[in-house]
Amino acid sequence: MAANKFATMLHRITNKITLILIYAVLEWTLIVLLLLNSVFSFLIIKFAEYFGLKPPCLWCSRVDHMLYHRKNKSIHRDLLCEAHATE
């Protein structure tokens, strides 16, 4: 059931209610971070439009390909849902 070290440790040392609450807090944190990411992307695009600059490509402006090196270059394919990855 657990996929990584953090989840394995959590399943071992906490009861079920605490585990559910921890995952709820983590999911809400992820939702807030995604919302902030969207707001900043929107502001960057509006900033570029206001000053007559070319808006940045959302795929090219990602920094994860510089920070996380993999042998295969399909790191963005992992970030897409199955419906969009097939497109």
Side-chain angles (χ1 to χ4, degrees):
M1 183 178 191
N4 58 25
K5 291 179 185 178
F6 176 75
T8 305
M9 179 193 66
L10 242 111
H11 281 278
R12 272 192 236 146
I13 64 171
T14 60
N15 59 11
K16 192 166 186 152
I17 298 295
T18 307
L19 186 67
I20 291 171
L21 290 174
I22 289 172
Y23 276 117
V25 168
L26 290 174
E27 287 205 21
W28 276 102
T29 304
L30 181 62
I31 290 169
V32 168
L33 290 174
L34 288 170
L35 180 65
L36 285 173
N37 184 27
S38 300
V39 168
F40 285 132
S41 295
F42 174 77
L43 291 174
I44 289 169
I45 291 170
K46 288 300 176 186
F47 178 83
E49 286 177 0
Y50 181 77
F51 288 106
L53 302 171
K54 183 179 172 186
C57 172
L58 295 178
W59 289 111
C60 297
S61 62
R62 297 182 62 98
V63 296
D64 57 359
H65 65 275
M66 290 186 287
L67 300 175
Y68 182 68
H69 297 289
R70 276 177 142 179
K71 294 190 183 210
N72 60 354
K73 299 293 182 184
S74 64
I75 189 168
H76 297 303
R77 196 173 304 150
D78 296 341
L79 298 174
L80 298 174
C81 64
E82 291 180 22
H84 287 110
T86 56
E87 290 177 4

